Amino acid sequence: MTSIPVTTSTATLTSATITLSGRCTNQCVFCGFDDAELATSVAERLAALRMTGAREVTLSGGEPTLEADSLVDAVAQARAAGFERIVLQTNGHALSALAPALAGAGLTDVHLSLHGPDPGSHDHHTGRAGSFERLWEGAASARAARLRLLVTTLVTRSSYRVLNEVPLVLLARGVAGWHLALPIGRGAAERDFARVHPRLALAVPFALHAIEVARRLGLPAYVSGAPRCLLGAFAARSIVRPVPMDTRAFAPRCDGCGQRTSCVGVDAIYLRRFGGDELRPLAPGGARGADDEPLARGFTGVGSLASPLARGTPRGVALPVVR
């Protein structure tokens, strides 16, 4: 694989993501990563991104910390290449040992994945007992090394009802910003579609309520992967960049929407499964998203995704839509 996945919010590229490894210590039920070997060196990919004008970079996976020495070198190379902000996307399991070295090499932010407010809900998603406790042990070491903590939580069929409990957990542990992401139908999230993907009209209101809870507690919070027509006033909290646009699609009823050019659409595999009965066209206008906020740019999204499975409509039971 030679492609360099990048994400951008404006005509001038500011933030980008590179994949360091497809291997991981978790077995997440929604994982969509591609574990193919990367053909180009980290230095070559960093140089290519700097040529585009990118000033911020996220080192992603899989789990980048599995290659500890290479990761520290990659951070140092990114700093030497002139990147002003260097983010590590990680499950946090190895941070207790690595955080001081990563901070010394120039890392600025740690982007963690938390998928529930307690060990039972988080470990259910990661497929690894004890992953909740290891994540927060690593996060404490990152904070001690003066690294900023960011957290992404996936909105799944198993998590959306408890999302409003997460902000207090994050505040107690010094997290600077929170990102709620709708699942992408690739890899395990496509194979186990019915287990992972909630109906949007059911789950998005819970996600928006959780964002409001976070906001009232003083925790900046954002959402990605939700179409504009389901966001309402929360469109100002939406991030377009973390959603790989080649995974997106629009329903026929979206053709007349006045906000289509600023909308991420819907996951293509989700739309093939459920159709577009939850969507509605909007009048022109609407709030601008949060793409250009400095904190929001830390959520640059995922690494290289697996290819779609060669099959028809995903299996699963269609749940009713609540109007």
Side-chain angles (χ1 to χ4, degrees), residues 7 11 40 54 59 64 74 82 123 138 142 165 174 177 190 192 224 237 251 262 264 270 280 308 310 322:
T7 51
T40 53
L59 306 177
D123 294 2
E165 300 176 28
E190 183 181 1
D192 295 327
S224 69
R237 296 288 85 205
S262 58
V264 299
Y270 178 97
R280 60 185 177 86
V322 177

Side-chain angles (χ1 to χ4, degrees), residues 169-262:
V169 175
L170 303 182
L171 284 172
R173 290 164 170 81
V175 172
W178 186 35
H179 167 222
L180 292 171
L182 274 295
I184 299 170
R186 296 287 179 86
E190 183 181 1
R191 290 190 298 273
D192 295 327
F193 182 92
R195 178 184 179 187
V196 173
H197 292 256
R199 286 303 301 261
L200 293 177
L202 291 171
V204 169
F206 282 87
L208 300 184
H209 177 252
I211 287 176
E212 179 64 11
V213 170
R215 187 192 68 81
R216 294 190 179 195
L217 292 172
L219 175 67
Y222 309 91
V223 62
S224 69
R228 282 241 167 188
C229 57
L230 295 184
L231 291 177
F234 287 86
R237 296 288 85 205
S238 66
I239 313 173
V240 174
R241 292 174 295 103
V243 186
M245 297 310 292
D246 63 352
T247 69
R248 315 308 289 176
F250 293 90
R253 65 174 55 188
C254 300
D255 291 345
C257 181
Q259 297 184 35
R260 176 162 171 165
T261 57
S262 58

Side-chain angles (χ1 to χ4, degrees), residues 92-303:
H93 294 182
L95 281 179
S96 294
L98 284 176
L102 291 169
L107 192 71
T108 59
D109 299 71
V110 170
H111 180 184
L112 297 163
S113 298
L114 174 72
H115 302 297
D118 52 54
S121 55
H122 177 78
D123 294 2
H124 164 79
H125 286 87
T126 63
R128 184 176 184 186
S131 59
F132 182 89
E133 299 300 336
R134 292 193 67 184
L135 181 153
W136 290 121
E137 289 171 2
S141 296
R143 282 201 70 202
R146 299 191 175 183
L147 298 170
R148 180 164 53 182
L149 297 181
L150 307 172
V151 165
T152 285
T153 301
L154 207 71
V155 181
T156 72
R157 285 188 65 178
S158 299
S159 71
Y160 73 84
R161 293 178 181 86
V162 296
L163 292 173
N164 64 344
E165 300 176 28
V166 175
L168 282 174
V169 175
L170 303 182
L171 284 172
R173 290 164 170 81
V175 172
W178 186 35
H179 167 222
L180 292 171
L182 274 295
I184 299 170
R186 296 287 179 86
E190 183 181 1
R191 290 190 298 273
D192 295 327
F193 182 92
R195 178 184 179 187
V196 173
H197 292 256
R199 286 303 301 261
L200 293 177
L202 291 171
V204 169
F206 282 87
L208 300 184
H209 177 252
I211 287 176
E212 179 64 11
V213 170
R215 187 192 68 81
R216 294 190 179 195
L217 292 172
L219 175 67
Y222 309 91
V223 62
S224 69
R228 282 241 167 188
C229 57
L230 295 184
L231 291 177
F234 287 86
R237 296 288 85 205
S238 66
I239 313 173
V240 174
R241 292 174 295 103
V243 186
M245 297 310 292
D246 63 352
T247 69
R248 315 308 289 176
F250 293 90
R253 65 174 55 188
C254 300
D255 291 345
C257 181
Q259 297 184 35
R260 176 162 171 165
T261 57
S262 58
C263 180
V264 299
V266 180
D267 181 81
I269 295 170
Y270 178 97
L271 193 62
R272 193 170 74 230
R273 175 66 185 87
F274 290 122
D277 59 345
E278 299 154 291
L279 310 177
R280 60 185 177 86
L282 299 176
R288 181 175 178 173
D291 280 4
D292 292 326
E293 294 185 14
L295 187 63
R297 289 201 304 270
F299 300 108
T300 51
V302 298

Side-chain angles (χ1 to χ4, degrees), residues 49-63:
L49 290 173
R50 284 295 293 143
M51 290 293 291
T52 68
R55 301 188 304 274
E56 304 172 1
V57 65
T58 291
L59 306 177
S60 182
E63 178 48 48

Side-chain angles (χ1 to χ4, degrees), residues 45 236 303:
R45 284 179 280 157

